[in-house]
């Protein structure tokens, strides 16, 4: 049987997850439904909460629902905590041993979420769903002309010039200027930090530093991550640019972490198990709001 439920177990995992997530500022959490139910509904655009009131025709003020404005999102990422600790029973296991293992679990879940999240963004900017399949006409994100994200090649161009051009195109695409981010690999991180137009960590606010921002340039908050990798066509991917209003993260504990006596398992003698289960997924709401930088 598990130890009497302690919300602090889940809080330990969540605290480490929030601390280690590079992509925490890349996504909103705007969806309807319960992640544990397996599927949620995500709006294709930020929902309007204010409408013009029609005094002449009251019937026009009735609630509206557009099925094409929603994406049914399968919560398809499912990970679990599974740690065996020998030599203890549930009552004797020190709390710091539990905390250390849950701390490591939070780190591992954060890495898994960063990997899936960035892959979803990169695919979405190319007109692909999170599984790598092209959007079909049944998908509200489909564009018959194949117009999706903005792709810029840095080549030998000045980094600041390329980012300024990208920023302007994102403005034309309706992307708000505040909270824009740039997730970069190691090569592009070096190029940005070498630019005399970059605002570096020593000049950033403590709030931005605590978020994991390494620099600001051309209106983008810059985050470094090894998860930005691969190629776009024959070019190497250097960075993903976006805004949290246009991509959603869904996440929840499926089973809150707990400590279990291992004696119920025929393969375990004299030990305990720390177990828990976490589900998540990501969806791009508007592919045209994102930019990819290649070289």
């Amino acid at each position: 049987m598990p130890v009497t439920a302690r919300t602090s177990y889940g809080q330990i995992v969540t605290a480490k997850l929030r601390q280690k997530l590079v992509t925490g500022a890349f996504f909103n959490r705007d969806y309807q439904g319960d992640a544990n139910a397996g599927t949620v509904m995500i709006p294709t655009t930020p929902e309007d909460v204010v409408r013009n009131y029609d005094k002449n025709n009251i019937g026009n003020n009735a609630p509206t629902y557009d099925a094409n404005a929603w994406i049914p999102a399968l919560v398809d990422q499912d990970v679990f905590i599974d740690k065996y600790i020998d030599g203890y029973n549930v009552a004797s296991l020190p709390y710091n041993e539990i905390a250390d293992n849950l701390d490591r679990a939070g780190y591992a879940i954060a890495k898994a979420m960063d990997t899936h999240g960035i892959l979803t963004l990169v695919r979405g900017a190319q007109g692909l769903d999170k599984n790598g399949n092209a959007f079909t006409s049944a998908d509200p994100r489909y564009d018959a002309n194949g117009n999706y994200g903005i792709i810029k090649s840095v080549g030998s161009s000045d980094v600041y010039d390329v980012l300024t051009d990208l920023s302007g195109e994102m403005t034309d695409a309706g992307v708000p200027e505040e909270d824009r981010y740039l997730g970069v690999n190691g090569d592009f991180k070096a190029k940005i930090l070498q630019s005399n137009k970059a605002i570096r960590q020593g000049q950033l606010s403590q709030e931005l530093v605590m978020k994991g921002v390494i620099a600001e340039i051309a209106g983008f908050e810059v985050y470094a991550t090894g998860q930005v990798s691969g190629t776009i066509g024959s070019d190497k991917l250097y960075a993903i640019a976006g805004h949290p209003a246009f991509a959603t993260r869904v996440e929840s504990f499926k089973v809150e972490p707990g400590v279990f006596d291992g004696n119920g398992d025929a393969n375990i003698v004299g030990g305990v198990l720390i177990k828990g289960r976490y589900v998540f997924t990501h969806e791009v709401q508007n592919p045209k709001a994102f930019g990819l930088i290649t070289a």
Side-chain angles (χ1 to χ4, degrees):
M1 295 293 290
V3 168
T4 302
R6 291 193 198 180
T7 56
S8 57
Y9 290 172
Q11 288 170 350
I12 292 169
V13 175
T14 302
K16 176 58 69 171
L17 196 159
R18 296 287 173 261
Q19 179 188 353
K20 291 300 180 181
L21 267 176
V22 176
T23 58
F26 291 16
F27 297 91
N28 64 68
R29 287 162 180 79
D30 182 15
Y31 62 90
Q32 292 185 6
D34 181 359
N36 289 325
T39 302
V40 299
M41 300 299 291
I42 295 175
T44 55
T45 57
E47 287 188 86
D48 291 330
V49 295
V50 175
R51 296 163 54 200
N52 289 326
Y53 187 77
D54 190 340
K55 291 180 288 186
N56 298 318
N57 191 341
I58 301 300
N60 289 339
N61 301 316
T64 60
Y65 178 79
D66 180 2
N68 291 325
W70 295 87
I71 304 164
L74 180 66
V75 185
D76 55 354
Q77 303 300 299
D78 196 338
V79 298
F80 71 103
I81 304 164
D82 185 27
K83 174 66 177 177
Y84 170 66
I85 304 174
D86 193 28
Y88 293 97
N89 58 37
V90 170
S92 65
L93 183 63
Y95 183 74
N96 67 308
E97 185 77 23
I98 301 170
D100 287 347
N101 281 283
L102 292 177
D103 194 73
R104 286 191 285 272
Y107 177 83
I109 295 171
K111 185 176 180 181
M113 290 176 68
D114 277 339
T115 300
H116 186 265
I118 288 177
L119 182 60
T120 300
L121 296 176
V122 171
R123 285 176 169 171
Q126 299 174 81
L128 306 173
D129 66 20
K130 61 187 175 184
N131 297 314
N133 302 311
F135 293 133
T136 67
S137 57
D139 192 309
R141 296 166 292 185
Y142 172 77
D143 186 286
N145 297 315
N147 296 323
Y148 293 107
I150 305 159
I151 299 180
K152 299 295 237 183
S153 178
V154 66
S156 60
S157 304
D158 180 80
V159 168
Y160 183 76
D161 290 344
V162 172
L163 291 175
T164 300
D165 287 346
L166 174 59
S167 178
E169 290 189 45
M170 290 176 71
T171 297
D172 291 342
V175 180
E177 302 209 358
E178 188 177 0
D179 295 327
R180 290 182 185 178
Y181 62 78
L182 193 66
V184 303
N185 67 5
D187 289 340
F188 205 59
K189 169 187 174 182
K191 290 179 181 293
I192 286 174
L193 294 180
Q194 289 164 7
S195 171
N196 60 9
K197 301 293 180 65
I199 302 172
R200 298 169 183 82
Q201 273 197 345
Q203 303 163 298
L204 296 174
S205 69
Q206 187 63 24
E207 179 185 0
L208 289 178
V209 172
M210 291 296 290
K211 284 172 61 179
V213 176
I214 64 163
E216 278 189 312
I217 187 169
F220 294 99
E221 297 175 358
V222 183
Y223 298 80
T225 171
Q227 309 303 326
V228 175
S229 60
T231 58
I232 306 298
S234 59
D235 295 329
K236 182 178 180 180
L237 177 64
Y238 266 22
I240 172 77
H243 189 284
F246 302 100
T248 300
R249 168 171 284 151
V250 182
E251 59 180 317
S252 177
F253 278 112
K254 186 83 170 180
V255 178
E256 283 275 346
V259 181
F260 297 79
D261 191 334
N263 289 333
D265 188 321
N267 298 313
I268 296 175
V269 178
V272 296
L273 296 164
I274 299 176
K275 285 183 170 289
R277 192 170 159 198
Y278 205 79
V279 294
F280 64 90
T281 200
H282 302 86
E283 289 285 357
V284 166
Q285 295 158 273
N286 180 3
K288 297 177 183 178
F290 295 88
L292 302 176
I293 295 177
T294 65

